[in-house]
Amino acid sequence: MKELTLKTNVKVYAPEELDAETLHLIAEAKQAASTSYAPYSNFHVGAAVMLDDGTIIKGSNQENAAYPSGLCAERTALFYAHAQHPQTPIRKIAIAACQNEKFTHLPVTPCGACRQVMAEYAGKNKATMQVILYGTESIYIIDDARELLPLTFEL
Ligand code: THU
């Protein structure tokens, strides 16, 4: 028997430690949260994806009375980005969530289904996709999206 140890490296930043590009992508994710359709959870999430050529694509969570038909902000943005730009690697994604008119203190961390989608797009282009998780007090940065879902399902 041998053991595999799987590692996830999360860098924790204070807002004043972030560089201009990261701040810009976070601002776009925060803006995207305002386009969320979340009458059932009242949890408004925005995602901003940056492609290799600098293009930014935004998405937000879209809920539905038939609950499972809704989609998270991350997948709304990622699917649209890949549908419009199938050949362009996705470099970064920033995520922000707003509840009761306030952005969360702690970063919102993506669900398993969104991690699976991030991992696949990152792997497809043999690129590294950085994940930026925004909270008003601290920001988590994971340089390789695939580390968020060790042992990702692959075909
Ligand atoms: N949600 C996202 O859009 N992204 C996440 O990372 C977590 C959850 C959405 C799904 C649902 O519309 C609402 O937040 C509450 O779960």
Side-chain angles (χ1 to χ4, degrees), residues 15 25 32 36 39 41 47 67 78 81 90 92 99 101 106 113 121 123 131 137 145 147 150:
L25 203 60
S36 146
S41 71
Y67 289 4
L78 287 164
I90 297 168
K92 299 179 179 196
Q99 205 170 21
E101 322 270 298
L106 285 175
Y121 285 147
V131 183
E137 284 170 9
E147 286 187 10

Side-chain angles (χ1 to χ4, degrees), residues 8 12-13 15 19 26 30 37 40 46 50 62 70 79 87 89 91 100 104 113-114 119 122 129 142 145 149:
T8 308
V12 181
Y13 290 86
D19 61 61
I26 288 171
K30 289 169 80 172
Y37 176 64
Y40 305 104
M50 184 182 281
Q62 300 296 316
F79 287 152
Q87 309 301 340
R91 283 282 166 220
N100 303 322
T104 57
C114 289
M129 190 195 302
I142 299 96
L149 190 63

Side-chain angles (χ1 to χ4, degrees), residues 61-136:
N61 57 326
Q62 300 296 316
E63 297 184 350
N64 192 275
Y67 289 4
S69 305
L71 197 64
C72 293
E74 296 90 321
R75 277 175 290 157
T76 303
L78 287 164
F79 287 152
Y80 184 75
H82 199 265
Q84 297 300 311
H85 306 271
Q87 309 301 340
T88 315
I90 297 168
R91 283 282 166 220
K92 299 179 179 196
I93 181 168
I95 302 148
C98 191
Q99 205 170 21
N100 303 322
E101 322 270 298
K102 288 192 183 109
F103 284 98
T104 57
H105 294 296
L106 285 175
V108 59
T109 50
C111 77
C114 289
R115 293 177 197 212
Q116 176 75 29
V117 170
M118 286 178 204
E120 179 145 343
Y121 285 147
K124 174 180 174 279
N125 291 304
K126 298 192 172 42
T128 311
M129 190 195 302
Q130 186 185 64
V131 183
I132 301 161
L133 306 176
Y134 175 74
T136 54

